[in-house]
Amino acid sequence: MNTYTVNFSSYTIGEDAYEKVSQVCEQYGQKILLIGGQTALDKGRLLLEKAIESSKLKIVDVRLYGKDCTYTEIEKMSKVAEELNVDMIFGMGGGKALDTAKGAADKAGLPVFTFPTIAATCAATTALSVVYKEDGNFDSFYFFENPARHCFIHTQIIAKAPECYLRAGMGDTIGKYFECHFAARGDQLEHSSALGREISNMCYPPFLIYGEEALRECRENRVGVALQQVVLANIVSTGLVSLLVLDDYNCAIAHSVYYGLVLLPGFEEKYLHGDVVAYGVLVQLAVDKDMERAKEVKAFLKKIGILTSLSEMQVKLDREYLKDVLKEIVTGPDMEHIPYPVTEDMIYEAMQTVEEMS
Protein backbone atom coordinates (compact mmCIF):
# COMPACT_ATOMS: atom_id res chain seq x y z
CA MET A 1 0.00 0.00 0.00
CA ASN A 2 1.23 3.50 -0.79
CA THR A 3 1.92 5.94 2.02
CA TYR A 4 0.39 9.35 1.48
CA THR A 5 -0.36 12.51 3.43
CA VAL A 6 -3.37 14.80 3.20
CA ASN A 7 -2.82 18.31 4.52
CA PHE A 8 -5.80 20.57 5.10
CA SER A 9 -6.03 24.33 5.34
CA SER A 10 -7.75 25.32 8.58
CA TYR A 11 -9.84 28.47 8.45
CA THR A 12 -11.53 31.26 10.39
CA ILE A 13 -14.66 32.87 9.01
CA GLY A 14 -16.59 35.87 10.28
CA GLU A 15 -16.78 39.65 10.42
CA ASP A 16 -13.89 39.71 12.92
CA ALA A 17 -11.82 36.94 11.32
CA TYR A 18 -8.60 38.97 11.39
CA GLU A 19 -8.73 39.15 15.18
CA LYS A 20 -7.50 35.52 15.18
CA VAL A 21 -4.39 36.20 13.08
CA SER A 22 -1.92 36.69 15.93
CA GLN A 23 -3.22 33.68 17.82
CA VAL A 24 -2.77 31.44 14.79
CA CYS A 25 0.39 32.88 13.22
CA GLU A 26 2.71 33.85 16.09
CA GLN A 27 3.86 30.25 16.47
CA TYR A 28 5.47 30.53 13.01
CA GLY A 29 7.57 33.61 13.75
CA GLN A 30 7.18 37.37 13.53
CA LYS A 31 8.18 38.83 10.17
CA ILE A 32 5.63 38.86 7.35
CA LEU A 33 5.77 39.55 3.62
CA LEU A 34 2.30 40.59 2.47
CA ILE A 35 1.51 39.96 -1.21
CA GLY A 36 -1.70 41.10 -2.84
CA GLY A 37 -3.55 43.03 -5.47
CA GLN A 38 -4.02 46.78 -5.13
CA THR A 39 -7.80 46.69 -4.69
CA ALA A 40 -7.60 43.87 -2.16
CA LEU A 41 -4.90 45.64 -0.15
CA ASP A 42 -6.96 48.82 -0.15
CA LYS A 43 -9.83 46.83 1.38
CA GLY A 44 -8.03 44.61 3.83
CA ARG A 45 -4.54 45.86 4.69
CA LEU A 46 -5.54 48.42 7.31
CA LEU A 47 -7.92 45.97 8.99
CA LEU A 48 -5.12 43.40 9.13
CA GLU A 49 -2.55 45.88 10.46
CA LYS A 50 -4.97 47.01 13.16
CA ALA A 51 -5.69 43.42 14.15
CA ILE A 52 -2.01 42.60 14.70
CA GLU A 53 -0.76 45.96 16.02
CA SER A 54 -0.47 44.76 19.62
CA SER A 55 1.01 41.39 18.70
CA LYS A 56 4.55 40.22 17.97
CA LEU A 57 3.75 40.03 14.25
CA LYS A 58 5.14 42.66 11.90
CA ILE A 59 4.53 43.21 8.20
CA VAL A 60 8.03 44.09 6.96
CA ASP A 61 7.07 44.64 3.32
CA VAL A 62 4.03 44.77 1.05
CA ARG A 63 4.29 43.78 -2.61
CA LEU A 64 1.82 43.96 -5.49
CA TYR A 65 1.78 40.65 -7.31
CA GLY A 66 1.33 41.98 -10.85
CA LYS A 67 -1.35 41.14 -13.41
CA ASP A 68 -1.09 37.33 -13.51
CA CYS A 69 0.32 34.49 -11.47
CA THR A 70 3.39 33.56 -13.54
CA TYR A 71 6.50 31.56 -12.72
CA THR A 72 8.49 34.78 -13.13
CA GLU A 73 6.32 36.54 -10.54
CA ILE A 74 6.46 33.55 -8.17
CA GLU A 75 10.25 33.42 -8.41
CA LYS A 76 10.54 37.19 -7.90
CA MET A 77 8.36 37.13 -4.78
CA SER A 78 10.17 34.14 -3.33
CA LYS A 79 13.49 35.98 -3.71
CA VAL A 80 12.01 39.03 -1.97
CA ALA A 81 10.95 36.80 0.91
CA GLU A 82 14.44 35.30 1.15
CA GLU A 83 16.17 38.69 0.99
CA LEU A 84 13.94 40.07 3.74
CA ASN A 85 14.44 36.90 5.78
CA VAL A 86 10.72 36.77 6.62
CA ASP A 87 9.14 33.96 8.61
CA MET A 88 5.92 33.68 6.62
CA ILE A 89 4.01 35.00 3.62
CA PHE A 90 0.49 36.42 3.69
CA GLY A 91 -1.52 36.44 0.46
CA MET A 92 -4.45 38.87 0.19
CA GLY A 93 -6.87 39.16 -2.72
CA GLY A 94 -8.42 36.98 -5.38
CA GLY A 95 -7.21 33.75 -6.94
CA LYS A 96 -4.20 35.06 -8.88
CA ALA A 97 -2.83 37.01 -5.91
CA LEU A 98 -3.28 34.05 -3.58
CA ASP A 99 -1.75 31.64 -6.10
CA THR A 100 1.29 33.91 -6.44
CA ALA A 101 1.71 34.06 -2.66
CA LYS A 102 1.31 30.28 -2.30
CA GLY A 103 3.80 29.58 -5.07
CA ALA A 104 6.33 32.04 -3.65
CA ALA A 105 6.00 30.51 -0.20
CA ASP A 106 6.54 27.03 -1.60
CA LYS A 107 9.65 28.16 -3.49
CA ALA A 108 11.01 29.89 -0.40
CA GLY A 109 10.12 27.04 1.96
CA LEU A 110 7.89 29.26 4.10
CA PRO A 111 4.41 28.86 5.60
CA VAL A 112 1.69 30.81 3.81
CA PHE A 113 -1.58 32.25 5.10
CA THR A 114 -4.41 33.41 2.86
CA PHE A 115 -6.79 36.36 3.15
CA PRO A 116 -9.38 36.07 0.37
CA THR A 117 -11.17 39.34 -0.34
CA ILE A 118 -13.57 37.81 -2.85
CA ALA A 119 -15.17 34.36 -2.96
CA ALA A 120 -14.71 33.62 -6.65
CA THR A 121 -12.50 30.51 -6.33
CA CYS A 122 -11.15 28.01 -3.80
CA ALA A 123 -7.56 29.26 -4.27
CA ALA A 124 -7.37 30.26 -0.59
CA THR A 125 -7.50 26.64 0.57
CA THR A 126 -5.92 24.55 -2.19
CA ALA A 127 -2.41 23.16 -2.61
CA LEU A 128 -1.83 24.34 -6.16
CA SER A 129 -1.40 27.49 -8.17
CA VAL A 130 -2.84 28.11 -11.62
CA VAL A 131 0.10 29.58 -13.50
CA TYR A 132 -0.15 31.71 -16.63
CA LYS A 133 2.34 32.52 -19.36
CA GLU A 134 3.69 36.03 -19.74
CA ASP A 135 1.19 36.67 -22.56
CA GLY A 136 -1.71 35.87 -20.22
CA ASN A 137 -2.51 32.41 -21.58
CA PHE A 138 -2.70 29.37 -19.30
CA ASP A 139 0.66 27.69 -18.66
CA SER A 140 0.30 24.88 -16.12
CA PHE A 141 -0.75 23.81 -12.66
CA TYR A 142 1.93 24.16 -9.99
CA PHE A 143 1.28 21.59 -7.27
CA PHE A 144 2.82 21.65 -3.81
CA GLU A 145 2.58 19.49 -0.73
CA ASN A 146 0.85 21.89 1.63
CA PRO A 147 -2.03 24.33 1.24
CA ALA A 148 -2.12 27.54 3.27
CA ARG A 149 -1.65 26.83 6.96
CA HIS A 150 -4.75 28.90 7.70
CA CYS A 151 -7.28 30.89 5.72
CA PHE A 152 -8.82 34.03 7.22
CA ILE A 153 -12.20 34.75 5.60
CA HIS A 154 -13.36 38.24 6.53
CA THR A 155 -17.01 38.09 5.50
CA GLN A 156 -17.59 41.85 5.69
CA ILE A 157 -14.86 42.47 3.12
CA ILE A 158 -16.38 39.82 0.84
CA ALA A 159 -19.89 41.26 1.35
CA LYS A 160 -18.62 44.63 0.13
CA ALA A 161 -16.98 43.16 -2.99
CA PRO A 162 -18.88 43.21 -6.31
CA GLU A 163 -21.50 40.47 -6.36
CA CYS A 164 -20.21 39.19 -9.71
CA TYR A 165 -17.32 37.51 -7.88
CA LEU A 166 -19.63 35.67 -5.49
CA ARG A 167 -21.76 34.61 -8.45
CA ALA A 168 -18.72 33.38 -10.39
CA GLY A 169 -17.57 31.49 -7.30
CA MET A 170 -20.85 29.60 -7.34
CA GLY A 171 -20.31 28.75 -11.01
CA ASP A 172 -16.84 27.40 -10.32
CA THR A 173 -18.05 25.45 -7.30
CA ILE A 174 -20.94 23.88 -9.22
CA GLY A 175 -18.29 22.65 -11.64
CA LYS A 176 -16.57 20.81 -8.80
CA TYR A 177 -19.73 18.85 -8.02
CA PHE A 178 -20.49 17.74 -11.57
CA GLU A 179 -16.90 17.22 -12.69
CA CYS A 180 -15.86 15.19 -9.66
CA HIS A 181 -18.77 12.78 -10.04
CA PHE A 182 -18.27 12.56 -13.82
CA ALA A 183 -14.51 11.96 -13.67
CA ALA A 184 -14.86 9.35 -10.91
CA ARG A 185 -17.66 7.44 -12.62
CA GLY A 186 -16.98 3.72 -12.75
CA ASP A 187 -13.89 3.89 -10.52
CA GLN A 188 -13.57 2.12 -7.19
CA LEU A 189 -12.42 5.01 -5.05
CA GLU A 190 -10.21 4.60 -2.03
CA HIS A 191 -10.90 6.51 1.18
CA SER A 192 -9.44 9.93 0.40
CA SER A 193 -10.96 10.29 -3.05
CA ALA A 194 -14.25 8.78 -1.91
CA LEU A 195 -14.42 11.27 0.96
CA GLY A 196 -13.63 14.14 -1.40
CA ARG A 197 -16.34 13.06 -3.81
CA GLU A 198 -18.84 12.99 -0.95
CA ILE A 199 -17.84 16.51 0.09
CA SER A 200 -18.43 17.60 -3.52
CA ASN A 201 -22.11 17.02 -2.77
CA MET A 202 -21.85 20.28 -0.80
CA CYS A 203 -20.82 22.12 -3.97
CA TYR A 204 -24.21 22.43 -5.66
CA PRO A 205 -27.35 21.71 -3.57
CA PRO A 206 -26.67 24.48 -0.99
CA PHE A 207 -26.82 27.06 -3.77
CA LEU A 208 -30.36 26.05 -4.63
CA ILE A 209 -31.25 27.06 -1.06
CA TYR A 210 -28.96 30.03 -0.41
CA GLY A 211 -27.68 31.25 -3.79
CA GLU A 212 -30.16 33.97 -4.69
CA GLU A 213 -30.37 35.32 -1.13
CA ALA A 214 -26.58 35.36 -0.82
CA LEU A 215 -26.33 37.56 -3.90
CA ARG A 216 -28.99 39.84 -2.46
CA GLU A 217 -27.03 40.17 0.78
CA CYS A 218 -23.85 40.92 -1.16
CA ARG A 219 -25.70 43.52 -3.23
CA GLU A 220 -26.74 45.16 0.03
CA ASN A 221 -23.21 44.81 1.50
CA ARG A 222 -24.43 42.83 4.51
CA VAL A 223 -23.38 39.51 6.00
CA GLY A 224 -26.21 37.06 6.51
CA VAL A 225 -26.58 33.31 6.85
CA ALA A 226 -26.98 32.83 3.11
CA LEU A 227 -23.84 34.75 2.18
CA GLN A 228 -21.77 32.89 4.76
CA GLN A 229 -23.04 29.51 3.54
CA VAL A 230 -22.21 30.34 -0.06
CA VAL A 231 -18.76 31.69 0.85
CA LEU A 232 -18.02 28.47 2.75
CA ALA A 233 -19.05 26.41 -0.26
CA ASN A 234 -17.02 28.52 -2.70
CA ILE A 235 -13.83 28.64 -0.64
CA VAL A 236 -13.87 25.69 1.79
CA SER A 237 -15.98 22.87 0.32
CA THR A 238 -14.28 23.10 -3.06
CA GLY A 239 -10.86 23.36 -1.43
CA LEU A 240 -11.46 20.22 0.62
CA VAL A 241 -12.49 18.30 -2.48
CA SER A 242 -9.35 19.45 -4.28
CA LEU A 243 -7.13 18.41 -1.38
CA LEU A 244 -8.73 15.00 -0.89
CA VAL A 245 -9.34 13.55 -4.33
CA LEU A 246 -6.70 12.32 -6.72
CA ASP A 247 -6.03 15.00 -9.31
CA ASP A 248 -7.83 12.74 -11.80
CA TYR A 249 -11.12 13.70 -10.18
CA ASN A 250 -10.66 17.42 -9.66
CA CYS A 251 -11.84 18.67 -13.04
CA ALA A 252 -13.28 17.40 -16.29
CA ILE A 253 -15.07 18.85 -19.31
CA ALA A 254 -16.43 22.01 -17.66
CA HIS A 255 -13.00 23.41 -16.77
CA SER A 256 -11.54 22.28 -20.08
CA VAL A 257 -14.24 24.28 -21.86
CA TYR A 258 -13.03 27.34 -19.97
CA TYR A 259 -9.38 26.79 -20.94
CA GLY A 260 -10.47 26.38 -24.55
CA LEU A 261 -12.62 29.50 -24.70
CA VAL A 262 -9.98 31.75 -23.14
CA LEU A 263 -7.89 31.21 -26.26
CA LEU A 264 -10.31 33.54 -28.04
CA PRO A 265 -8.93 37.12 -28.21
CA GLY A 266 -10.27 39.28 -25.40
CA PHE A 267 -12.48 36.54 -23.96
CA GLU A 268 -10.78 36.20 -20.56
CA GLU A 269 -10.88 39.95 -20.01
CA LYS A 270 -14.67 39.97 -20.50
CA TYR A 271 -15.82 36.90 -18.57
CA LEU A 272 -15.00 35.57 -15.12
CA HIS A 273 -13.55 32.09 -14.70
CA GLY A 274 -16.45 30.67 -12.70
CA ASP A 275 -19.12 32.05 -15.02
CA VAL A 276 -17.50 30.24 -17.96
CA VAL A 277 -16.98 27.03 -15.98
CA ALA A 278 -20.72 27.06 -15.23
CA TYR A 279 -21.41 27.25 -18.97
CA GLY A 280 -18.94 24.36 -19.30
CA VAL A 281 -21.08 22.34 -16.90
CA LEU A 282 -23.96 22.65 -19.37
CA VAL A 283 -21.68 21.45 -22.18
CA GLN A 284 -20.54 18.51 -20.04
CA LEU A 285 -24.13 17.53 -19.22
CA ALA A 286 -25.04 17.77 -22.91
CA VAL A 287 -22.06 15.55 -23.85
CA ASP A 288 -23.28 13.10 -21.21
CA LYS A 289 -26.87 13.27 -22.56
CA ASP A 290 -28.19 14.28 -19.12
CA MET A 291 -30.62 16.86 -20.41
CA GLU A 292 -32.96 16.86 -17.41
CA ARG A 293 -30.13 17.92 -15.13
CA ALA A 294 -28.89 20.38 -17.77
CA LYS A 295 -32.31 22.07 -17.78
CA GLU A 296 -32.26 22.27 -13.98
CA VAL A 297 -28.76 23.77 -13.89
CA LYS A 298 -29.54 26.20 -16.70
CA ALA A 299 -32.65 27.46 -14.88
CA PHE A 300 -30.60 28.08 -11.72
CA LEU A 301 -27.77 29.79 -13.58
CA LYS A 302 -30.23 32.15 -15.22
CA LYS A 303 -31.69 32.99 -11.79
CA ILE A 304 -28.29 34.10 -10.51
CA GLY A 305 -27.30 35.90 -13.70
CA ILE A 306 -24.75 33.57 -15.30
CA LEU A 307 -24.73 33.53 -19.10
CA THR A 308 -25.75 30.12 -20.44
CA SER A 309 -24.97 30.25 -24.16
CA LEU A 310 -22.19 31.24 -26.53
CA SER A 311 -24.49 33.76 -28.21
CA GLU A 312 -24.95 35.55 -24.88
CA MET A 313 -21.15 35.63 -24.56
CA GLN A 314 -20.90 37.04 -28.10
CA VAL A 315 -19.02 33.98 -29.37
CA LYS A 316 -19.85 32.59 -32.82
CA LEU A 317 -20.96 28.97 -32.87
CA ASP A 318 -18.88 28.24 -35.94
CA ARG A 319 -16.74 25.13 -36.32
CA GLU A 320 -13.88 26.87 -38.09
CA TYR A 321 -13.89 29.83 -35.70
CA LEU A 322 -13.81 27.45 -32.72
CA LYS A 323 -11.18 25.12 -34.22
CA ASP A 324 -8.43 25.91 -31.71
CA VAL A 325 -10.93 26.06 -28.85
CA LEU A 326 -12.25 22.56 -29.58
CA LYS A 327 -8.75 21.16 -29.89
CA GLU A 328 -7.72 22.65 -26.54
CA ILE A 329 -10.86 21.35 -24.84
CA VAL A 330 -10.33 17.71 -25.82
CA THR A 331 -6.55 17.68 -25.31
CA GLY A 332 -6.34 19.72 -22.10
CA PRO A 333 -5.03 18.19 -18.85
CA ASP A 334 -8.49 18.11 -17.28
CA MET A 335 -9.56 15.55 -19.90
CA GLU A 336 -6.95 12.95 -19.03
CA HIS A 337 -9.27 10.94 -16.76
CA ILE A 338 -12.90 10.85 -17.86
CA PRO A 339 -15.23 7.84 -18.18
CA TYR A 340 -15.19 7.69 -21.99
CA PRO A 341 -13.36 9.30 -24.92
CA VAL A 342 -14.66 12.74 -25.89
CA THR A 343 -14.01 14.11 -29.38
CA GLU A 344 -14.14 17.57 -30.88
CA ASP A 345 -17.32 16.54 -32.69
CA MET A 346 -18.95 15.61 -29.37
CA ILE A 347 -18.03 18.95 -27.81
CA TYR A 348 -19.27 20.92 -30.80
CA GLU A 349 -22.54 18.99 -30.91
CA ALA A 350 -22.97 19.56 -27.15
CA MET A 351 -22.42 23.30 -27.68
CA GLN A 352 -25.09 23.22 -30.36
CA THR A 353 -27.44 21.47 -27.96
CA VAL A 354 -26.80 24.03 -25.22
CA GLU A 355 -27.41 26.81 -27.73
CA GLU A 356 -30.75 25.26 -28.74
CA MET A 357 -31.74 25.17 -25.06
CA SER A 358 -31.56 28.97 -25.17
Side-chain angles (χ1 to χ4, degrees):
M1 297 294 292
N2 292 331
T3 299
Y4 66 94
T5 300
V6 178
N7 294 304
F8 299 111
S9 179
S10 54
Y11 64 93
T12 299
I13 183 168
E15 295 179 73
D16 298 313
Y18 292 179
E19 298 301 320
K20 298 291 185 181
V21 172
S22 59
Q23 177 184 328
V24 172
C25 299
E26 280 186 356
Q27 61 185 301
Y28 296 95
Q30 298 180 6
K31 297 195 293 182
I32 301 159
L33 170 63
L34 174 60
I35 298 171
Q38 186 63 65
T39 301
L41 291 169
D42 289 344
K43 301 292 184 183
R45 179 181 173 180
L46 291 178
L47 289 171
L48 175 59
E49 289 176 338
K50 183 178 179 181
I52 65 172
E53 63 184 357
S54 61
S55 74
K56 296 177 182 178
L57 299 174
K58 181 182 179 183
I59 298 172
V60 298
D61 200 1
V62 180
R63 293 295 177 105
L64 296 176
Y65 78 97
K67 183 182 177 183
D68 285 314
C69 173
T70 64
Y71 285 112
T72 300
E73 196 68 25
I74 286 171
E75 189 67 36
K76 182 174 79 174
M77 292 299 177
S78 89
K79 287 181 178 177
V80 169
E82 291 169 353
E83 289 166 2
L84 293 171
N85 194 30
V86 297
D87 301 307
M88 66 197 85
I89 291 177
F90 284 6
M92 179 175 285
K96 291 181 178 180
L98 301 182
D99 281 350
T100 302
K102 291 186 300 178
D106 186 68
K107 285 279 187 185
L110 294 171
V112 63
F113 300 87
T114 53
F115 298 78
T117 55
I118 57 175
T121 71
C122 58
T125 57
T126 56
L128 65 89
S129 292
V130 181
V131 184
Y132 293 81
K133 298 175 183 176
E134 298 299 326
D135 63 5
N137 288 318
F138 171 73
D139 185 320
S140 61
F141 298 113
Y142 172 20
F143 295 94
F144 23 88
E145 187 174 343
N146 294 302
R149 300 296 173 91
H150 201 92
C151 172
F152 297 92
I153 308 168
H154 197 299
T155 45
Q156 190 58 57
I157 292 176
I158 291 174
K160 290 180 179 178
E163 67 178 274
C164 62
Y165 295 116
L166 189 69
R167 180 198 70 213
M170 285 193 269
D172 195 37
T173 301
I174 289 169
K176 187 68 73 178
Y177 169 74
F178 286 101
E179 290 179 293
C180 185
H181 281 270
F182 180 72
R185 184 185 299 168
D187 288 2
Q188 182 65 45
L189 304 186
E190 295 187 358
H191 179 270
S192 183
S193 288
L195 181 57
R197 183 181 60 183
E198 290 306 302
I199 294 174
S200 79
N201 292 327
M202 294 292 291
C203 294
Y204 173 55
F207 297 149
L208 301 178
I209 302 169
Y210 299 111
E212 290 180 89
E213 178 61 24
L215 288 175
R216 189 174 300 111
E217 291 173 358
C218 188
R219 204 172 302 130
E220 297 169 359
N221 302 141
R222 61 185 175 89
V223 179
V225 171
L227 183 133
Q228 182 155 310
Q229 292 303 304
V230 166
V231 169
L232 285 167
N234 288 2
I235 294 176
V236 177
S237 298
T238 44
L240 288 173
V241 176
S242 177
L243 292 167
L244 281 163
V245 301
L246 292 175
D247 191 51
D248 289 343
Y249 309 128
N250 250 320
C251 296
I253 295 175
H255 269 81
S256 208
V257 167
Y258 168 80
Y259 288 114
L261 286 171
V262 295
L263 295 179
L264 298 174
F267 185 89
E268 188 178 14
E269 288 74 29
K270 292 169 65 177
Y271 303 108
L272 294 171
H273 171 88
D275 287 345
V276 183
V277 169
Y279 164 76
V281 168
L282 296 178
V283 175
Q284 178 176 301
L285 290 169
V287 168
D288 207 34
K289 309 299 183 185
D290 190 351
M291 297 315 299
E292 285 304 309
R293 184 52 75 89
K295 291 175 184 176
E296 174 193 292
V297 173
K298 175 183 168 62
F300 173 71
L301 295 180
K302 290 185 78 68
K303 283 182 181 179
I304 64 172
I306 289 180
L307 303 180
T308 58
S309 68
L310 290 179
S311 60
E312 290 175 320
M313 290 184 273
Q314 301 176 315
V315 174
K316 292 185 295 183
L317 183 61
D318 177 85
R319 186 63 184 262
E320 181 61 26
Y321 178 69
L322 295 174
K323 179 177 63 175
D324 293 339
V325 171
L326 296 170
K327 181 179 179 181
E328 177 64 28
I329 291 171
V330 300
T331 60
D334 292 326
M335 300 289 275
E336 291 178 0
H337 189 95
I338 51 178
Y340 49 80
V342 172
T343 65
E344 293 181 28
D345 286 340
M346 292 166 68
I347 296 292
Y348 187 70
E349 288 167 11
M351 287 177 167
Q352 290 178 310
T353 300
V354 171
E355 216 67 16
E356 289 165 4
M357 289 171 63
S358 301

